[in-house]
Amino acid sequence: FKEYLLAVKENKTSWENNYTQYEVSPETKNILSQVKLKFYVLAIAEDWCGDSVRNLPVIAKLVENLPNSELRVLSRDLNLDLMERYAINGKKKIPTIVFLNSDFKEIAVWIEKPVNAWQLQEKFKNEPDGKERYWEALKEEITKEILQILQILTVGKLNVP
């Protein structure tokens, strides 16, 4: 992911800040360390996309703490044929995160943002520090959803609260 950050042109400061300022909690690091399976994680994104800028650095940090895993980032605009596979109602939403097993077989997909992102946005939009609180809640939800995916993929062998 650090190589990807070097290539980012748009929103470079936001990408770097979101990546460097997010710290995976000790509890989450402990859960991730329990994963013994090898995963390849493919992220399809663009540097101009706000959801990618916000969400992909969090996912990158989680994958960095996942033993035996690798993350690769591909450009959506240079891989439109691949994006067709993950389109929702004809829309190519990013970031799209694809989990592959050690044989490169697709085993899970996470797309764009947490399921409850809109509710979180509504909850915090009128508060003075709403943007910051939304961002913190969003990071927590991304973490929960990625841990839930890993829980399913490891057949319930993780101790996820």
Side-chain angles (χ1 to χ4, degrees):
F1 188 74
K2 291 175 185 174
E3 292 172 10
Y4 177 74
L5 287 179
L6 293 174
V8 164
K9 291 181 176 52
E10 292 190 43
N11 304 307
K12 191 166 188 74
T13 302
S14 294
W15 276 98
E16 290 170 348
N17 288 344
N18 290 344
Y19 178 73
T20 57
Q21 292 172 5
Y22 176 67
E23 293 295 328
V24 178
S25 73
E27 178 183 67
T28 298
K29 284 182 181 183
N30 182 47
I31 293 168
L32 293 171
S33 73
Q34 298 172 39
V35 177
K36 303 304 179 208
L37 299 174
K38 179 160 184 67
F39 291 106
Y40 295 98
V41 182
L42 177 65
I44 307 166
E46 287 295 337
D47 61 2
W48 48 258
C49 172
D51 287 319
S52 293
V53 173
R54 280 185 298 276
N55 303 341
L56 189 51
V58 174
I59 292 168
K61 285 276 183 108
L62 294 170
V63 173
E64 286 173 7
N65 284 276
L66 192 58
N68 306 311
S69 295
E70 295 178 33
L71 172 69
R72 296 282 184 254
V73 183
L74 296 179
S75 165
R76 180 196 76 167
D77 295 346
L78 296 177
N79 295 281
L80 293 176
D81 55 332
L82 178 62
M83 279 306 301
E84 285 298 326
R85 181 178 186 159
Y86 303 106
I88 298 173
N89 298 323
K91 294 184 180 181
K92 298 169 188 75
K93 299 180 178 225
I94 53 177
T96 293
I97 311 301
V98 183
F99 290 83
L100 307 163
N101 67 12
S102 60
D103 295 324
F104 296 98
K105 180 182 174 193
E106 178 185 306
I107 52 177
V109 178
W110 184 92
I111 297 178
E112 190 181 27
K113 61 182 83 176
V115 172
N116 68 344
W118 294 114
Q119 291 90 343
L120 292 172
Q121 196 170 29
E122 285 297 311
K123 178 179 177 179
F124 296 117
K125 74 178 183 180
N126 293 321
E127 296 184 21
D129 59 347
K131 186 176 180 181
E132 293 78 17
R133 292 183 65 202
Y134 167 69
W135 173 226
E136 289 305 314
L138 194 68
K139 290 187 279 189
E140 288 176 19
E141 288 302 312
I142 293 166
T143 300
K144 282 182 195 172
E145 288 186 8
I146 297 301
L147 289 176
Q148 287 170 349
I149 289 170
L150 293 170
Q151 173 80 349
I152 292 166
L153 295 179
T154 58
V155 194
K157 293 180 182 169
L158 293 181
N159 186 17
V160 177

